[in-house]
Amino acid sequence: MLAVLAVTFPFFALVLCGYLAVRRGALPLPAIPGLNGFVLFFALPCLLYRFGASTPIAELLDPSVIIVYLLCALIMVGTTVALTLGGRIDWNNAAFGALTAAFPNTGFMGVPLLVTLLGARAAGPVIVTILVDMLVTSSLCIALSRLDGHGAGNARAAAGKALRGVAGNPMPWAIVLGGISSAAGLTLYGPLDKTIALLADSASPVALFAIGAVLARSQMTTADKAPLMDYVPVALKKLFLHPVLVLIVGGIAIQLGLPLDPFALTVLVLAAALPSASNVSLLAERFGADNGRIARVILVSTALSFFTFSAAVALLG
């Protein structure tokens, strides 16, 4: 366990540094969007491209990984909506709460952390989870969020809008380009490859610092106090139910003959054990959900995950 903490501690320490930098005024709030922009449009796409280009195309298109992870994501969304919908929680808030329960922070945190823990082979399954969550899980939850008196037509329109938003996100395109490079055996011109390498190397520390900054901003700008029962159970579902569900479903799939690599299943379980994705807060704000509640789910899951994720690594190691 101590050996695991020695690996995971620096990652969570960088999140704490970003949090404290904002809380103490060292990083002004107006600077946070620029920090996120650097990670989203420059550093992280370069990191994903490099991993995609160096990963065999069969691992990037592994149907067994896609089936198991997608099925678990759908179960998480369905059960969370069913358990939270009603009373103060309408379709809009139930849907985005479900997204925090099903969408781990694989982009900003999971890729660098899991590759450090498990090696470069972990990149393929992690990239698959990013694509599933961006293309399917997010679009589904956004569609569900429009069901409050708007009907199925508005939900379809919302899902279409979500997919158009994904098309404007550089991360999936970086993965696609990396996959094409892997399949074709392409190599970049030396100076260009070095430039991408420098940006990719900056992705992990800046992304983790940005997570802490975003969490601090959410806490500072959220005035309304949501009851603990509105967000703590959702955070616990993310940290406990999601990885256990992936482990059970993956184990059953292997027993039924699905050619799922046990190593890939380990990666999926640890990806599911990550805290909620920080960008869900931005989506909730855009679609008029209770962003204070969503931000608290993300904050609680991130704070607790230092212990729960490290324990999951120790148990699976």
Side-chain angles (χ1 to χ4, degrees), residues 48-81:
L48 292 174
Y49 172 83
R50 290 186 74 196
F51 281 132
S54 59
T55 302
I57 192 65
E59 294 182 19
L60 295 176
L61 300 174
D62 188 338
S64 301
V65 172
I66 296 172
I67 291 170
V68 168
Y69 186 77
L70 176 58
L71 177 60
C72 292
L74 295 177
I75 294 173
M76 287 299 299
V77 170
T79 55
T80 305
V81 168

Side-chain angles (χ1 to χ4, degrees), residues 294-307:
I294 298 303
R296 288 184 176 90
V297 173
I298 298 169
L299 180 62
V300 170
S301 67
T302 303
L304 293 179
S305 65
F306 172 65
F307 305 100

Side-chain angles (χ1 to χ4, degrees), residues 113-186:
L113 181 53
L114 291 175
V115 169
T116 299
L117 283 168
L118 303 175
R121 281 184 63 203
V126 176
I127 288 173
V128 171
T129 69
I130 294 174
L131 289 174
V132 169
D133 284 326
M134 293 187 69
L135 293 173
V136 181
T137 315
S138 296
S139 300
L140 172 62
C141 288
I142 290 173
L144 292 175
S145 74
R146 304 295 90 191
L147 291 180
D148 277 318
H150 299 296
N154 196 63
R156 286 193 295 269
K161 182 178 180 181
L163 289 173
R164 289 192 295 273
V166 171
N169 189 317
M171 289 197 294
W173 293 112
I175 295 171
V176 170
L177 289 175
I180 293 173
S181 296
S182 173
L186 300 177

